[in-house]
Amino acid sequence: MARTTGSHSDITGPRVRAAALSLFAQHGFAAVSMRQIAREVGVQAGALYNYTPDKQSLLFDLMQTHMSDLLSSRDKLPETASPLEALETFTRFHIRFHSERPEEVFIAYMELRNLEPENFEAIEKLRRTYEDQLENILRAGVSEGVFKVADPKLATMAVIAMLTGVNTWFREGGRLSLEEVEQIYWDMVRKSVGA
Amino acid sequence: MARTTGSHSDITGPRVRAAALSLFAQHGFAAVSMRQIAREVGVQAGALYNYTPDKQSLLFDLMQTHMSDLLSSRDKLPETASPLEALETFTRFHIRFHSERPEEVFIAYMELRNLEPENFEAIEKLRRTYEDQLENILRAGVSEGVFKVADPKLATMAVIAMLTGVNTWFREGGRLSLEEVEQIYWDMVRKSVGA
């Protein structure tokens, strides 16, 4: 049964994060104690501190991992891709990525208020990086004359809110498949930017 | 200083609701105690129960009041209004109403999970009533041939998410006035439904 601390940590770390994610999403960050998280993982409360210094670090880790995954999972497009192709790729990626992570998305919105200022700034920076990618697509389309957008920054926020909203109602096995939803939303996004 | 119970309750009731709203929005429903709400109002914890039977009733009251206000505040249009006029009125109303109530909007989304089943069903019914109003506008526009919408139900969810999203970034005194934001969003909504 002997394990190195390293391998033990490798196994327990993800379980701690999974437990924290699920408990934060269910009860809210402020209502969850380190003791509850330890109980969910099946370790002593004291043992939890081998994996994380405190609850704030756990929250920050969850949100930072979510935003980093978002940025690193974006489909790579050839340099020659048109703004319209780039927008379609962004739209479909955003819906798929977020619909697979309802708890992360819920926490990323709801628990911003509980991040300490330095952590909040780091998450906001990642969020702005992602938003900038969409804004750059829209600006490229405007300068090529294929999009009609009065304000690329507002259009960015509008499109992202529209797409993330899928999470509030989409259920696997419902009236429409995720592919059908993607297609219908892509049609609306395309039209909304005048393409 | 003598007051009837009635007038005392009339004064304290709104203060209890305001305190609960602010504390729930700041810390989350599960993390707030009736004792904290009483302290915020400046009454004894026991006195709070003159105004509300429990914390769940307070949450339900806040969410029900918010949804009822939403439904009763909608601008009335003449019978002769076109689907396009109705959609513009809906769009501008939705942005204005929600931007004035950031805490209510936050709680209405975040604390659904904490409603008891019967209360959840009542709030969902009000929410569906509101969504149906937009869906009916879209369906009317489709049948008159002025809107091109593949799926009115999805378009309803997409438009509402897009508009409510204004709350996540709009700040009074920022780069754009709310009137300018309304105009830009109305332009995007109109185009997104093919009008």
Side-chain angles (χ1 to χ4, degrees):
Chain A
M1 291 296 284
R3 276 192 189 128
T4 67
T5 311
S7 72
H8 188 183
S9 173
D10 288 351
I11 294 164
T12 310
R15 287 175 54 216
V16 170
R17 279 202 291 275
L21 176 68
S22 156
L23 288 168
F24 291 166
Q26 206 179 331
H27 307 291
F29 175 78
V32 174
S33 66
M34 287 292 268
R35 190 171 295 275
Q36 267 176 289
I37 298 171
R39 201 183 308 131
E40 181 85 9
V41 178
V43 299
Q44 295 292 320
L48 210 55
Y49 293 94
N50 294 332
Y51 308 107
T52 184
D54 52 31
K55 204 168 63 139
Q56 172 70 207
S57 304
L58 259 179
L59 178 64
F60 177 61
D61 180 45
L62 287 174
M63 290 173 76
Q64 193 183 36
T65 303
H66 175 63
M67 292 307 297
S68 303
D69 286 353
L70 177 68
L71 289 168
S72 65
S73 305
R74 290 259 289 123
D75 309 87
K76 299 287 168 286
L77 278 178
E79 286 279 329
T80 53
S82 70
L84 195 67
E85 286 167 326
L87 184 59
E88 176 168 2
T89 302
F90 184 97
T91 297
R92 292 180 184 273
F93 164 75
H94 188 99
I95 292 176
R96 250 178 295 126
F97 184 89
H98 289 85
S99 70
E100 286 164 1
R101 293 163 179 79
E103 290 187 326
E104 283 89 341
V105 173
F106 186 61
I107 285 175
Y109 169 69
M110 177 184 70
E111 299 296 3
L112 276 177
R113 62 185 169 170
N114 281 315
L115 286 176
E116 287 168 4
E118 201 172 316
N119 291 340
F120 178 82
E121 193 41 59
I123 297 299
E124 282 302 283
K125 200 175 162 185
L126 293 171
R127 186 189 301 265
R128 277 195 303 270
T129 301
Y130 183 67
E131 290 168 3
D132 286 348
Q133 294 182 354
L134 176 55
E135 192 180 327
N136 289 337
I137 294 170
L138 295 178
R139 287 189 186 281
V142 168
S143 68
E144 290 188 19
V146 290
F147 297 160
K148 283 176 211 71
V149 172
D151 190 303
K153 205 167 274 297
L154 258 66
T156 298
M157 302 312 285
V159 167
I160 287 178
M162 184 202 270
L163 300 179
T164 309
V166 169
N167 269 33
T168 63
W169 60 266
F170 179 75
R171 295 296 170 266
E172 209 63 73
R175 182 169 64 91
L176 297 165
S177 70
L178 193 60
E179 288 67 32
E180 289 169 313
V181 170
E182 266 181 52
Q183 186 57 44
I184 292 168
Y185 270 72
W186 163 233
D187 185 56
M188 289 189 74
V189 166
R190 184 181 52 73
K191 286 194 281 197
S192 75
V193 300
Chain B
M1 289 296 287
R3 277 192 189 128
T4 65
T5 311
S7 72
H8 188 183
S9 172
D10 288 350
I11 294 164
T12 309
R15 287 177 53 216
V16 170
R17 278 201 293 274
L21 176 68
S22 157
L23 288 169
F24 291 166
Q26 205 179 333
H27 307 290
F29 174 78
V32 174
S33 67
M34 287 291 269
R35 188 170 297 274
Q36 268 176 286
I37 298 171
R39 200 183 312 130
E40 181 86 8
V41 178
V43 299
Q44 296 291 320
L48 211 54
Y49 294 93
N50 293 334
Y51 308 106
T52 183
D54 52 31
K55 204 168 63 138
Q56 171 71 209
S57 304
L58 258 179
L59 177 63
F60 178 61
D61 180 44
L62 288 174
M63 292 175 75
Q64 192 182 37
T65 302
H66 176 62
M67 292 307 297
S68 303
D69 286 353
L70 176 68
L71 289 167
S72 64
S73 306
R74 290 258 291 122
D75 310 86
K76 300 287 169 285
L77 278 179
E79 287 278 329
T80 53
S82 70
L84 195 67
E85 287 168 325
L87 183 59
E88 177 168 1
T89 302
F90 183 97
T91 297
R92 292 180 183 275
F93 164 76
H94 188 98
I95 292 176
R96 250 178 296 126
F97 184 89
H98 289 84
S99 71
E100 287 164 2
R101 293 164 179 80
E103 291 187 325
E104 285 88 342
V105 172
F106 186 62
I107 285 176
Y109 169 69
M110 176 184 71
E111 299 296 3
L112 276 177
R113 61 185 169 169
N114 281 316
L115 285 175
E116 287 166 5
E118 201 173 315
N119 290 341
F120 179 82
E121 192 41 59
I123 297 299
E124 282 302 282
K125 200 174 162 185
L126 293 171
R127 185 188 302 265
R128 277 195 303 270
T129 301
Y130 183 68
E131 290 168 2
D132 285 350
Q133 294 181 355
L134 176 55
E135 192 179 328
N136 288 337
I137 293 170
L138 296 177
R139 287 189 188 281
V142 169
S143 69
E144 288 187 19
V146 290
F147 296 160
K148 282 177 211 69
V149 171
D151 190 303
K153 205 169 274 298
L154 258 65
T156 297
M157 301 313 284
V159 167
I160 286 178
M162 183 201 272
L163 300 179
T164 308
V166 170
N167 269 33
T168 64
W169 60 266
F170 179 75
R171 296 293 170 270
E172 209 63 74
R175 182 168 63 91
L176 298 165
S177 70
L178 193 60
E179 288 65 34
E180 290 169 313
V181 171
E182 266 181 50
Q183 186 58 42
I184 292 168
Y185 271 72
W186 163 233
D187 185 56
M188 290 190 72
V189 166
R190 185 181 52 73
K191 285 195 280 197
S192 76
V193 300

